[in-house]
Amino acid sequence: MISPVESANGPAGDDEASFPALPFASCFAYLPGGSGSVCEEGRVLCARLKAADRAWLPRLAARVWLETIGHGRFGPAFGARVVLVPVPGSAPLQSAHWVGERLAWCLKEVGLAAEVWPVLRRRYAVRKSAFAAAGERPTVLEHYASFSLEGPLGVREHRGNVSRLTLVDDVITRGRTLLAAAARIHAAFPGAEVSAFALLRTLDPCEGDVRWISGDARRRP
């Protein structure tokens, strides 16, 4: 469940939102700079995921289902009452679907969630983290400012009835994007439990959290 940090540690943005500690789960490892066949397989998987490969996404969703139902993993992220909220890429949408949304629909179709709400949007583009040096990647505050919530009236009318929301993204590195997205979602649905699921994670697959500490995101582990 979200545990808001003291507002003194968060931004004084347009919503006066505080940043949460965000539980997350991931299914696959991704080693961008590694060598060997295993690392190469990870890079191929990442490329297919980024391309929203229609043949591979259902297979990957099936693997997540197996890990969740068959092996008891990722419990906080999925369930019959969970609503999945896809996290958009670095630019405002140019098409009807993006990789996070397609992945979210695949996860719903295998029975891991009740609904998909693609309500999170980019108001304007931010730098792509994959092509930026470590010190030039967008901060949590920059991501937060670029996000907005847009959606059908029916979604807003159900705010008080939503108990569990899971952000869905393709890759988690440090966790800045997900932490900023969680802050936006928490401001709109303050009574809901919010967690995150990313299909790929740098280093080993695991479960952990992302926290707002000393002005930046800290992922554990």
Side-chain angles (χ1 to χ4, degrees), residues 56-76:
W56 276 88
L57 282 182
R59 299 182 191 180
L60 296 173
R63 176 62 182 273
V64 177
W65 179 91
L66 178 62
E67 292 293 328
T68 304
I69 305 302
H71 301 291
R73 302 184 65 191
F74 316 143

Side-chain angles (χ1 to χ4, degrees), residues 16-197:
E16 295 295 329
S18 58
F19 284 93
L22 178 67
F24 78 90
S26 62
C27 191
F28 298 99
Y30 173 48
L31 301 173
S35 60
S37 60
V38 174
C39 294
E40 180 59 27
E41 288 175 5
R43 285 190 285 271
V44 171
L45 175 60
C46 184
R48 285 174 168 163
L49 179 60
K50 292 288 187 182
D53 190 310
R54 293 180 181 274
W56 276 88
L57 282 182
R59 299 182 191 180
L60 296 173
R63 176 62 182 273
V64 177
W65 179 91
L66 178 62
E67 292 293 328
T68 304
I69 305 302
H71 301 291
R73 302 184 65 191
F74 316 143
F78 302 116
R81 299 180 62 189
V82 170
V83 174
L84 302 179
V85 179
V87 177
S90 60
L93 293 181
Q94 301 296 320
S95 60
H97 300 284
W98 68 95
V99 60
E101 184 178 359
R102 288 179 179 172
L103 176 60
W105 282 111
C106 288
L107 294 170
K108 177 187 179 299
E109 287 170 4
V110 297
L112 291 177
E115 296 185 61
V116 176
W117 286 358
V119 297
L120 196 61
R121 295 286 191 268
R122 290 281 190 185
R123 297 162 57 192
Y124 51 83
V126 296
R127 295 183 301 280
K128 261 188 173 296
S129 296
F131 303 120
E136 298 176 356
R137 292 169 184 166
T139 67
V140 177
L141 292 173
E142 288 175 314
H143 280 300
Y144 178 81
S146 75
F147 282 133
S148 66
L149 258 67
E150 302 175 9
L153 181 61
V155 171
R156 298 182 182 276
E157 289 176 343
H158 286 86
R159 282 182 176 181
N161 299 322
V162 177
S163 59
R164 295 177 63 193
L165 292 163
T166 296
L167 296 162
V168 176
D169 206 354
D170 52 2
V171 179
I172 179 172
T173 304
R174 187 156 189 163
R176 288 169 175 163
T177 304
L178 285 171
L179 192 62
R184 279 291 179 199
I185 292 296
H186 180 57
F189 301 91
E193 295 182 17
V194 181
S195 61
F197 176 81

